[in-house]
Amino acid sequence: MVTAIASVGLQLQVGDGAGPESFTDIPKVESGNIPSAGKELIETTSLDSSGNREFISSFNIQKVITCPIFYIPDNTIHAGLRSDADDGTLRNFNMIVNDTSSTTFNFAAYVQLDGDFSTGDAVRGTLTLSISGAIT
């Protein structure tokens, strides 16, 4: 039997860079994506291939997490993420899934943070995490 899990309770956390490192929830994350898995493929099809394309695997694909957020510029965590983006800081993150075993993805990423606003809507932003290295 297949079961599904609700995304309510999923946590995206940022590390403080201290030792031992402490992680804090990033507030007001609206949605996002789980890190992808797979390899880049190099095409090796040649004239003597059997009529089908051929590939070999290469590096892990670049993993990017994109999260729409309700952006609060004076929130300590949001301000820190903006500072990390401005400074090009590689920061540690945790993503904790709300399943029975609290599956956790640990990774280091560079931050991009964009904000926008419109009449009659909340101030929103997009948090983009470009993962550098392995996900554990």
Side-chain angles (χ1 to χ4, degrees):
M1 177 167 90
V2 176
T3 59
I5 57 171
S7 60
V8 173
L10 187 139
Q11 298 167 280
L12 183 58
Q13 301 177 325
V14 61
D16 62 6
E21 191 156 32
S22 177
F23 288 85
T24 304
D25 288 350
I26 298 172
K28 299 300 181 185
V29 175
E30 185 178 3
S31 63
N33 59 290
I34 304 269
S36 57
K39 298 279 189 184
E40 292 177 359
L41 299 177
I42 299 170
E43 185 171 354
T44 58
T45 307
S46 64
L47 294 176
D48 60 350
S49 295
S50 62
N52 295 303
R53 300 248 179 232
E54 298 173 352
F55 298 89
I56 57 173
S57 67
S58 181
F59 295 106
N60 289 329
I61 59 172
Q62 181 187 14
K63 295 157 182 69
V64 176
I65 297 172
T66 304
C67 299
I69 64 171
F70 293 104
Y71 180 48
I72 305 168
D74 64 355
N75 174 276
T76 305
I77 301 300
H78 287 188
L81 290 168
R82 183 170 184 90
S83 178
D84 288 343
D86 287 340
D87 297 341
T89 303
L90 182 65
R91 183 72 65 190
N92 291 325
F93 292 87
N94 287 334
M95 179 182 284
I96 304 169
V97 180
N98 187 29
D99 59 2
T100 56
S101 58
S102 295
T103 301
T104 302
F105 299 99
N106 306 321
F107 54 90
Y110 289 100
V111 176
Q112 290 176 292
L113 181 60
D114 301 308
D116 58 23
F117 59 90
S118 63
T119 302
D121 199 2
V123 176
R124 295 176 182 269
T126 302
L127 174 64
T128 304
L129 304 176
S130 295
I131 297 173
S132 180
I135 297 172
T136 58

